[in-house]
Amino acid sequence: VITGGAPLDLIVEKVQTIQAMFCRTIEFVRDMPLRRRGGPIREIQESCRPWLFQAAPGSYQFSVAIQEPKQLDFFKQDVRPDLVARQFLDVLKATASDNQEQLEALVPNAEYRNVFLKLSRNLAPTGKTFGSIELRTAVDDDPIALTPEARTVINQVLKKSRPVDPQDAPGTEQELVG
């Protein structure tokens, strides 16, 4: 790692994860059914398109801005980029904290909550390539810092939320005939 440089695959992976979180946030705000696979529909991609800018030359800092749709639809309620950004940061802050009640209150849908947890975990560093990633708003709210410890916490929450397989439950007997 050199001053002002980073591995391209690392930057691309983190930017794609942030973009996926933005799309999932829009789908969640619009109360759409959870998309199990594939990319978001074109309408979602165009509703709040994220842009990436280098914040400070010679650093690893990037700014992400959200572009409003080119043409607003008079008959549909468009999602405002400022609300998407606020919801995105609130969800990210809740997933990185130990307080899971906050995340449950913010994202009552268990399937979406699980997706947001997985995306947040993917955004958090492992500690091998880099030690932390910090996200903040332009108005300088408290930054959200994701560290390897946050990744560990998110992994523990994901393990607790997995459904228990009846075969793995302790103290149960099962008779197989055949």
Side-chain angles (χ1 to χ4, degrees):
V1 176
I2 58 172
T3 303
L8 181 61
D9 58 342
L10 174 68
I11 299 298
V12 169
E13 175 191 336
K14 298 307 173 191
V15 169
Q16 286 175 337
T17 303
I18 290 171
Q19 183 176 16
M21 283 190 78
F22 272 120
C23 290
R24 291 294 188 165
T25 302
I26 295 167
E27 293 168 347
F28 173 72
V29 168
R30 285 190 171 179
D31 201 28
M32 297 176 72
L34 181 68
R35 174 175 41 90
R36 300 255 180 239
R37 63 177 160 220
I41 60 174
R42 183 168 223 57
E43 179 185 340
I44 296 295
Q45 291 174 349
E46 293 175 357
S47 64
C48 292
R49 191 171 179 198
W51 284 67
L52 183 69
F53 300 95
Q54 186 176 8
S59 75
Y60 296 118
Q61 297 178 11
F62 293 96
S63 293
V64 177
I66 305 173
Q67 176 186 1
E68 287 187 3
K70 293 177 186 175
Q71 180 66 42
L72 297 177
D73 192 332
F74 183 71
F75 299 104
K76 292 182 182 176
Q77 183 179 356
D78 290 311
V79 176
R80 293 183 16 217
D82 57 331
L83 296 177
V84 171
R86 179 81 262 148
Q87 182 79 14
F88 167 82
L89 289 170
D90 288 345
V91 166
L92 193 61
K93 186 181 286 187
T95 58
S97 75
D98 291 335
N99 184 1
Q100 289 308 302
E101 290 80 26
Q102 179 185 4
L103 180 60
E104 289 175 9
L106 193 60
V107 184
N109 183 319
E111 291 178 315
Y112 268 107
R113 195 168 46 246
N114 195 34
V115 167
F116 285 131
L117 282 165
K118 287 178 181 177
L119 287 169
S120 297
R121 179 203 47 208
N122 294 347
L123 193 57
T126 60
K128 294 176 184 173
T129 309
F130 66 105
S132 71
I133 184 169
E134 195 172 280
L135 294 100
R136 72 179 89 208
T137 64
V139 293
D140 263 343
D141 288 340
D142 290 333
I144 301 164
L146 296 175
T147 60
E149 292 79 25
R151 186 181 182 102
T152 303
V153 168
I154 294 169
N155 275 331
Q156 290 170 351
V157 171
L158 282 168
K159 283 181 184 177
K160 289 178 188 175
S161 67
R162 281 189 201 140
V164 177
D165 187 4
Q167 294 179 348
D168 294 339
T172 58
E173 290 186 24
Q174 202 174 40
E175 182 178 334
L176 301 174
V177 179

